[in-house]
Each structure stands twice: as structure tokens, then as C-alpha cells.
Amino acid sequence: MGRFPRPGDGLPPVISSIPTKRKVVFLTIDDGWEQDPGFVAQVRDQRIPVAAFVTRDAVEARGTADPTAQGGRFLGAGKWRYVRDLRDAGATIENHTLTHPNLPALGYAGQKTEICGTSKLIRRHTGTAPTLFRPPFGNHNTLTRRAAKACGIDALLLWTATVQPGGKIAYQVPDKKLRPGDILLLHFRPNLARDFRILVAKIKRRGFELGNLDAYLKAAAR
Ligand SMILES: [Zn+2]
């Protein structure tokens, strides 16, 4: 297990992969618009470790749904009950803002409202405050890290590759290979349960395990 370089400024680090030599990758799922109970059953029955980064407006189906989530059968179907079900199935629930803004366009107070407000809601609805924060679109600045720290966040979590509809992995590196410690990003979209099944089978075929992000981060921070 590797260690994270501690930022010299004392603010939460920005992490986009986990330092490890083991063939392990990490699954993260964002927003929370499409709330398919079939996905919760998969996570529970197959004991697949996932971290869900939830946005209030997606969970509560407020306003206009993200275009990628439209047409789903389960848009906002269970609201926070769905998030609790996912937590009960073994997922970790993390912070992805209230309204999914481009944070660097906001000042410190605005960013803090987005991050602290979400942590409070997650704590109220699940009993546990999140320790990880994912900035929408991956966009952040120093004020984001300051605000995250003030809201009790330990690290900002980005990603290595995104998973497209159909379970296809879109890599940010040119050789299109999974690497130890990769963090994969999915979304709560229509057909998530099907895409997830395809993805998990693909990862296992390539000889990788699925890791528990929380456990690895705690070990790396020691
Ligand atoms: Zn998002």
C-alpha cells in the first residue's frame, strides 16, 4: 500500500487514483437521479463495494433532470430512502453538492453552502457524515478545498476513467488498460443495473478485484 503525498497547505488532498500495486479498482457512482432498486439488489447480493456521490437535487428529483438521466423509469423514485437502501446494501454515501454547480464560479461562502449543506443532509438521512467530496465536473480551486475542510471532508475524489452506457470504459490514458488503483466513475442512469453487470464481469475477466475505497484511503492515510 502506497501513501498519499500530504499537501503542504494542510487542506484535503485531491485524489484521482489509489496508490497500490494490487490488481484492484474502485467503483464510484454519481448524482442519484435514476433510482433503480435492481442496482441496490446487485450491490447487496454480490457484496460489491461502491461509493455513491450524491447530489441533493438529483436524489430529490428537483428541477430539470440531467440529460443523461432522462427517460429513466425510476427518476427520484425513492428519494433519500433509496440512498438509505443503498447504504444498507453496503455502499458508502459521499458528498457531491446540493445543486451540482461549477464550483470555481462561486465564492467561498457559496462553495461552503453547497458542501456543508450536503454533508448535513446525508448525515440527517443516513446517520453518517461523508468524508469524501467529489466536485461536479471535477472542477475545483483552492477555495473548494478550504470549504471542504471546513465541512469535515478528508479528501476530494476525482476519477481515472468514466463508464459509458453499455459498460464501456472511457479511459483518460492512451493505452486503454485498467491499472491498479484506478477509480471508475459511473452515473445513476437508466440501464445502470445492466451496464454495471457488464462492467463488473469485464473487470473480473481482466483479473482485477473491486476494492473498498474507504478502507484503502484509511490505510493510505496512516
Ligand atoms: Zn455529477
Side-chain angles (χ1 to χ4, degrees):
M1 170 68 57
R3 275 163 206 279
F4 291 111
R6 291 269 115 198
D9 55 13
L11 296 176
V14 180
I15 294 167
S16 44
S17 66
I18 304 297
T20 178
K21 291 195 171 75
R22 288 185 65 181
K23 287 189 82 175
V24 61
V25 295
F26 302 88
L27 298 181
T28 65
I29 308 178
D30 280 15
D31 304 340
W33 290 103
E34 173 72 356
Q35 303 183 340
D36 182 351
F39 174 67
V40 176
Q42 262 178 313
V43 169
R44 184 183 54 234
D45 298 347
Q46 300 176 44
R47 298 170 184 273
I48 300 172
V50 297
F53 289 80
V54 299
T55 296
R56 179 200 61 193
D57 286 3
V59 170
E60 299 182 3
R62 290 192 190 199
T64 312
D66 184 285
T68 59
Q70 282 171 10
R73 283 172 59 205
F74 304 103
L75 215 62
K79 303 217 163 56
W80 288 100
R81 182 168 42 79
Y82 185 80
V83 174
R84 272 195 302 278
D85 288 349
L86 204 53
R87 189 269 322 265
D88 291 345
T92 315
I93 309 302
E94 307 289 2
N95 187 328
H96 192 43
T97 73
L98 296 172
T99 68
H100 210 273
N102 177 32
L103 288 170
L106 303 180
Y108 177 74
Q111 295 202 36
K112 192 168 165 230
T113 300
E114 286 282 344
I115 302 171
C116 283
T118 307
S119 284
K120 248 183 241 163
L121 266 180
I122 291 172
R123 192 189 175 125
R124 187 200 305 160
H125 288 286
T126 71
T128 311
T131 56
L132 298 178
F133 173 66
R134 175 168 279 161
F137 321 106
N139 295 344
H140 60 89
N141 59 16
T142 306
L143 295 180
T144 314
R145 293 170 60 228
R146 275 181 51 203
K149 185 176 186 183
C151 303
I153 295 293
D154 292 338
L156 272 62
L157 201 86
L158 302 184
W159 58 91
T160 327
T162 55
V163 180
Q164 305 300 320
K168 187 178 160 36
I169 303 173
Y171 299 92
Q172 293 181 328
V173 287
D175 70 353
K176 301 192 186 307
K177 274 179 17 194
L178 281 179
R179 294 162 194 280
D182 274 358
I183 298 170
L184 304 185
L185 163 63
L186 295 91
H187 289 90
F188 287 93
R189 281 180 182 155
N191 302 314
L192 173 62
R194 183 202 63 192
D195 293 353
F196 195 71
R197 210 162 31 239
I198 295 169
L199 176 72
V200 168
K202 188 184 288 182
I203 290 169
K204 290 188 172 163
R205 242 186 352 257
R206 294 185 188 181
F208 279 81
E209 297 168 48
L210 297 166
N212 182 309
L213 193 56
D214 240 27
Y216 269 79
L217 285 171
K218 282 196 183 98
R222 243 184 252 132

